[in-house]
Amino acid sequence: MKKIIVKNPVVELDGDEMTRIIWSFIKQKLILPYLELDIKYFDLGVEHRDKTGDQVTIESAEAIKKYGVGIKCATITPDEERVKEFKLKQMWKSPNGTIRNILDGTVFREPIICKNIPRLVTTWTKPICIGRHAFGDQYKATDFLTKGKGKLTITFKPDGGEAQTHEVYDFKGDGVALAMYNTDESVRGFARSCMNVALMKKWPLYLSTKNTILKKYDGRFKDLFAEVFEKEFKIKFEEADITYEHRLIDDMVASAMKWNGGFVWACKNYDGDVQSDSVAQGFGSLGMMTSVLITPDGKTLEAEAAHGTVTRHYRMHQQGKKTSTNPIASIFAWTRGLAFRGKLDNNKELIEFCETLEKVCIDTIESGKMTKDLAVLAFGDKVKEGQYLNTEEFLDTLDQNLKKKLG
């Protein structure tokens, strides 16, 4: 078939370990044979990040800003063990955190549902869309160890104004401290992104915080959401017959478990990190979750695989053993990113191609051909070898089915 011409570039961010291997197959077999595509490539593998002093991560985020679309493979966020393993210069911060802080968008995660994959939370019959604030908080915090006795204070010095100093704690011995921040502008942007997505889906929106404890910090999120809603969205929500509500995080978690789904859940950065994994697992698998970061103006999107680099499978792969790794979230990172490129360029052919590839993925699983993680959900722990495909077999099946579908 004739290749679809994609007018404007997309930014590709390569990753680590097993997902990097799968990523290459997806690009070579499921994307490039069908699209005439200008890719701005950045290697975010941990060794290359280390080699560039993490400058490559910053450059990739700036490129996404420039071109409007980023498509990202899963990457390693190193801990002490990884620093030793790769002989890294330092424990580099999460590349996702760095990119999110530069783009200042909201991350939306939503499950990919297949009829034959049972859900752990049986009440969930419709998807739950988690909107995760992606600026500041723990991911851009200053944290440090304190040694010995001493007083911890925190100071804000306004330009040309008098400094405000707060006493935090009187240490009697060694300890640990953290200071974090956010901005009114970013929280308002977060509110607008979530409210726009709720309108688009025609689903109710809930914001969860712990404002009873963090009265000023979380209270600010609550107040700014209320302000944006009243001024900009109240009438639109009424017309769409949907609601907005603030709830305490513990109440929201309990309610979400009982409800059927079909709502947007606005979470602060750390809460969103945790709850999106809980929701993914509740729906069955982290390998079946879309993840897109959208800026408040709706003009920039970064799509990524919502899970990690599947280290355990990579170790097996290094030993020459067969693996059965689920590539669906990585494929949907490509399709969601490219579909957004299609939306920006008004390229219907590209959007239709992305929809077709997503349908092929779901149809293939629903036909009974799947990776081991999904087979365990469908058939139980005593799953036999013939009930699932290994990584290469599953990817080849998707490749054949896409060829058939596109004629």
Side-chain angles (χ1 to χ4, degrees):
M1 62 171 272
K2 195 173 161 221
K3 284 190 180 184
I4 297 163
I5 293 164
V6 183
K7 280 183 286 186
N8 291 299
V10 298
V11 179
E12 179 194 355
L13 293 73
D14 211 345
D16 289 294
E17 298 188 321
M18 201 65 208
T19 37
R20 186 181 179 103
I21 292 160
I22 288 167
W23 194 257
S24 176
F25 181 100
I26 294 165
K27 181 180 168 183
Q28 298 305 328
K29 294 284 181 81
L30 304 179
I31 304 298
L32 294 182
Y34 305 101
L35 306 179
E36 195 67 58
L37 185 62
D38 180 7
I39 293 173
K40 307 297 180 188
Y41 177 85
F42 292 85
D43 183 0
L44 262 58
V46 71
E47 287 141 311
H48 193 246
R49 276 183 274 143
D50 190 62
K51 192 178 165 186
T52 65
D54 209 29
Q55 193 57 34
V56 66
T57 309
I58 294 161
E59 286 169 8
S60 70
E62 293 299 340
I64 295 169
K65 258 187 176 178
K66 181 178 176 182
Y67 296 109
V69 179
I71 300 169
K72 182 181 174 296
C73 181
T75 47
I76 289 167
T77 299
D79 56 11
E80 287 94 341
E81 292 299 312
R82 296 298 209 160
V83 170
K84 284 182 208 159
E85 181 188 341
F86 292 102
K87 299 180 176 63
L88 304 178
K89 293 173 202 153
Q90 68 180 73
M91 204 189 301
W92 301 107
K93 288 189 175 178
S94 158
N96 287 351
T98 301
I99 293 161
R100 286 167 192 160
N101 275 297
I102 290 168
L103 296 179
D104 185 19
T106 299
V107 177
F108 292 94
R109 286 187 170 177
E110 194 178 320
I112 303 156
I113 295 177
C114 296
K115 288 174 199 160
N116 56 336
I117 305 302
R119 290 176 275 282
L120 291 177
V121 182
T122 51
T123 49
W124 290 349
T125 54
K126 290 180 278 190
I128 294 168
C129 180
I130 301 272
R132 174 186 170 189
H133 190 214
F135 180 80
D137 293 354
Q138 284 95 323
Y139 297 82
K140 207 66 178 167
T142 301
D143 63 331
F144 57 97
L145 300 175
T146 64
K147 289 291 167 196
K149 286 178 75 172
K151 190 171 283 186
L152 176 68
T153 62
I154 192 164
T155 302
F156 172 68
K157 191 171 186 325
D159 290 343
E162 199 178 318
Q164 300 171 26
T165 300
H166 300 271
E167 190 176 311
V168 179
Y169 191 67
D170 219 341
F171 282 95
K172 302 293 183 278
D174 294 356
V176 64
L178 170 145
M180 66 185 197
Y181 63 87
N182 227 293
T183 68
D184 284 7
E185 181 191 16
S186 180
V187 177
R188 284 192 183 102
F190 173 40
R192 288 185 186 108
S193 294
C194 292
M195 288 171 197
N196 278 321
V197 167
L199 279 172
M200 189 175 75
K201 291 182 168 294
K202 294 196 166 34
W203 287 355
L205 170 67
Y206 298 91
L207 166 70
S208 63
T209 74
K210 194 72 176 172
N211 69 305
T212 48
I213 304 298
L214 296 170
K215 289 180 171 65
K216 296 278 196 299
Y217 199 99
D218 282 24
R220 194 69 184 143
F221 277 76
K222 179 179 179 281
D223 294 346
L224 290 173
F225 259 71
E227 175 199 290
V228 170
F229 179 71
E230 287 296 326
K231 285 183 181 171
E232 301 172 34
F233 287 92
K234 192 177 181 181
I235 292 164
K236 291 177 190 171
F237 268 52
E238 283 168 1
E239 285 168 356
D241 196 25
I242 56 173
T243 53
Y244 162 68
E245 195 182 329
H246 168 266
R247 288 185 173 229
L248 283 174
I249 180 83
D250 33 2
D251 173 39
M252 186 63 208
V253 169
S255 297
M257 297 299 282
K258 292 182 287 188
W259 294 343
N260 301 122
F263 59 88
V264 181
W265 181 355
C267 292
K268 289 173 61 216
N269 209 338
Y270 186 81
D271 294 342
D273 194 359
V274 175
Q275 294 309 332
S276 57
D277 280 10
S278 297
V279 165
Q281 211 59 64
F283 275 98
S285 170
L286 253 181
M288 300 290 285
M289 197 81 167
T290 65
S291 181
V292 296
L293 179 142
I294 305 170
T295 54
D297 63 7
K299 290 177 182 171
T300 305
L301 177 142
E302 181 225 17
E304 61 177 339
H307 53 68
T309 57
V310 204
T311 307
R312 189 170 58 84
H313 287 199
Y314 184 61
R315 297 281 180 254
M316 289 164 67
H317 173 80
Q318 285 175 311
Q319 292 160 25
K321 292 177 184 171
K322 285 186 176 178
T323 64
S324 184
T325 316
N326 188 341
I328 298 295
S330 294
I331 295 169
F332 273 62
W334 280 98
T335 55
R336 295 294 156 102
L338 289 166
F340 190 75
R341 177 78 278 160
K343 185 185 162 191
L344 292 177
D345 298 350
N346 198 21
N347 187 339
K348 284 179 188 165
E349 221 184 338
L350 177 58
I351 294 167
E352 280 166 14
F353 167 78
C354 295
E355 287 168 353
T356 301
L357 177 49
E358 288 187 4
K359 190 169 184 333
V360 163
C361 291
I362 291 164
D363 288 351
T364 301
I365 293 166
E366 289 185 346
S367 76
K369 290 174 179 170
M370 60 188 81
T371 47
K372 192 177 179 181
D373 60 316
L374 300 179
V376 167
L377 293 168
F379 307 114
D381 286 339
K382 291 176 181 168
V383 63
K384 298 181 185 75
E385 223 172 272
Q387 291 174 307
Y388 64 86
L389 303 175
N390 67 37
T391 309
E392 291 80 8
E393 288 168 344
F394 184 66
L395 285 164
D396 284 336
T397 303
L398 292 176
D399 181 25
Q400 289 158 21
N401 289 350
L402 182 62
K403 281 175 182 161
K404 273 184 217 158
K405 193 86 174 166
L406 295 169

